[in-house]
Amino acid sequence: MTSQASTLAAVDRFPSATRRNRATLSLLGLLLLAAGAAGAALGWGAWGDSNRRREVVDPAMREFAGHWWFWPSAAVLALIVALYAVSWLLVQLRSNRLDAFHLEADRRRGETTLDASALTTAVAQELSSYSGVSRASARLSGPQTAPTLNIAATLDGRRQLGAVADRVLSGPVAHAREALDLPQLDARVELRIARSRRRSVR
Amino acid sequence: MKVFDRVLAVVLAVALFAAGAVSALEIGWTAGLGKSGHLLVPYESAREFLRTHTWDAAAVRGICLAAAAVGLLLLAAQLKPRRPGLLAVHAGDDPAVTVGVARRSLSRGLAAAATDVDGISGASAKIGGRRAKVTATSELRDVDGLQPRLQTHLEEWIAGLRLIRPPRLSVHVKQKER
């Protein structure tokens, strides 16, 4: 039996945005911390009294800014910052959702494409029809070569969670693998328990 | 946290874009075209502030400390390890399949399951790293016998979830205040 992790990270629909946000916010935090701490240390005399009493922009700095290359370089740097900000904004929209799946791996033999929503709607409908499931959704994500079927189901309390998990695997996951002709299709199932519970009427 | 990061990212990206674009335009206006004064943003008072205030001025120190504090908070928030939101459920031997249940929804389910026990009128539950803590209330005068019954019921309920590592359960029953 394979050893399984006891916890899982929640599904991330925007993994590239998450990575970029973490990197950029860390860098901004580091820059702010370094600049703020250095300025405060200077203000409290860490680099001597004469430096402490200098203006923030003193004549020596103004003279330095007089070099011919200074302002063009500053303008280029400002433009780079603006362009980076635009790419940072655009990456927020980049989801890892797979809209279409190529059923024919070898393009020379023709092209058959499956609209991913046809598959995910069928998976969600099948799952919603199960006793114990009040709501379900599905999406296909990742690269064409190794897609992942993400399923989310809300349980209403009429069936035990373990039993529903078994049905999800033997039903929608197995059927999706068959439809895509991918017996090893990765599947990730997130189960939620509804706030209010239903009882079976016998 | 991811949602907060995304909102913060959008706000900061817009601010950075505005700052970068306006700075490039202002530099082009004065250094490139040789014009005097500002083009879009009146920055003269800020320039005057930087030229007239020394590093030991209270305002400059305050701004530096505030920047360092914000930077520290931002960095700490990003470096803090994030607790996985799902507890894994046994799902057979297929390594390509992972099944998990959301920690928050499990807390809700646990609280709801507690009310199945006769005598329990309400409950709240919290699932931490490895422990689940349930606090239930009862309107009965004598709540002594309820705790073991509730503990057994909830342990059975958790066993039905088939979690790979079930949380250790701690149950507390208190009398409802009248």
Side-chain angles (χ1 to χ4, degrees):
Chain A
M1 186 163 156
T2 53
S3 66
Q4 291 173 289
S6 61
T7 53
L8 304 167
V11 171
D12 189 357
R13 290 168 176 237
F14 301 90
S16 35
T18 303
R19 280 194 301 273
R20 180 82 80 91
N21 291 347
R22 202 163 194 180
T24 309
L25 292 173
S26 299
L27 181 67
L28 281 176
L30 195 64
L31 286 174
L32 272 175
L33 177 61
L42 189 62
W44 264 283
W47 286 287
D49 273 357
S50 57
N51 283 327
R52 185 163 67 101
R53 294 201 192 94
R54 277 167 52 186
E55 292 88 13
V56 178
V57 174
D58 65 358
M61 283 175 84
R62 292 210 291 274
E63 195 184 319
F64 183 75
H67 285 101
W68 68 268
W69 49 265
F70 183 85
W71 289 111
S73 308
V76 168
L77 186 67
L79 278 177
I80 290 171
V81 169
L83 288 175
Y84 180 81
V86 171
S87 85
W88 192 18
L89 266 179
L90 291 178
V91 85
Q92 307 301 321
L93 305 172
R94 200 185 301 156
S95 133
N96 66 348
R97 194 169 80 175
L98 196 60
D99 292 322
F101 182 77
H102 301 297
L103 291 168
E104 187 60 69
D106 186 353
R107 295 280 182 92
R108 287 171 303 183
R109 290 162 57 188
E111 192 172 1
T112 312
T113 306
L114 173 73
D115 185 353
S117 67
L119 176 84
T120 53
T121 306
V123 166
Q125 278 175 354
E126 180 180 355
L127 196 49
S128 305
S129 70
Y130 288 173
S131 166
V133 176
S134 61
R135 208 169 51 209
S137 65
R139 58 191 281 275
L140 212 52
S141 67
Q144 278 284 338
T145 47
T148 300
L149 176 66
N150 300 280
I151 295 175
T154 304
L155 314 188
D156 61 17
R158 283 183 293 169
R159 292 281 179 276
Q160 283 204 318
L161 189 139
V164 176
D166 285 343
R167 282 212 74 183
V168 174
L169 304 188
S170 63
V173 171
H175 297 152
R177 285 174 163 174
E178 215 171 292
L180 297 177
D181 196 20
L182 279 178
Q184 291 306 311
L185 171 71
D186 283 332
R188 204 188 145 89
V189 184
E190 185 176 326
L191 300 173
R192 299 172 194 141
I193 299 165
R195 256 174 224 281
S196 56
R197 298 193 298 162
R198 276 198 235 159
R199 307 263 182 213
S200 295
V201 178
R202 291 172 200 272
Chain B
M1 191 65 192
K2 258 184 265 176
V3 176
F4 175 77
D5 277 3
R6 289 194 78 198
V7 174
L8 188 62
V10 169
V11 172
L12 286 178
V14 170
L16 277 179
F17 171 73
V22 167
S23 301
L25 283 172
E26 293 291 355
I27 292 169
W29 178 253
T30 50
L33 299 175
K35 306 275 186 183
S36 62
H38 65 268
L39 173 65
L40 295 170
V41 178
Y43 57 83
E44 290 83 359
S45 55
R47 184 178 63 189
E48 205 49 33
F49 176 88
L50 295 173
R51 283 179 177 178
T52 52
H53 284 72
T54 55
W55 283 101
D56 63 354
V60 176
R61 283 178 181 176
I63 291 168
C64 288
L65 282 181
V70 170
L72 187 65
L73 281 177
L74 207 52
L75 199 57
Q78 296 308 313
L79 297 181
K80 187 181 164 196
R82 290 166 197 191
R83 193 163 62 191
L86 306 181
L87 300 182
V89 173
H90 274 294
D93 289 334
D94 188 342
V97 177
T98 51
V99 181
V101 58
R103 205 182 284 270
R104 266 190 206 174
S105 94
L106 199 56
S107 304
R108 284 201 301 264
L110 201 54
T115 59
D116 291 343
V117 174
D118 285 340
I120 300 295
S121 54
S124 66
K126 200 172 178 185
I127 297 184
R130 291 188 181 176
R131 292 179 73 91
K133 193 176 171 187
V134 179
T135 307
T137 51
S138 171
E139 289 180 353
L140 299 178
R141 283 187 186 165
D142 180 15
V143 296
D144 287 347
L146 271 179
Q147 199 275 344
R149 270 202 289 143
L150 182 59
Q151 178 94 25
T152 309
H153 174 72
L154 293 181
E155 275 170 3
E156 282 170 5
W157 188 84
I158 288 177
L161 302 175
R162 295 201 327 225
L163 297 175
I164 286 175
R165 185 188 283 172
R168 269 186 295 157
L169 188 62
S170 131
V171 176
H172 178 66
V173 182
K174 60 182 183 183
Q175 206 168 32
K176 195 171 183 180
E177 287 170 24
R178 288 163 196 273

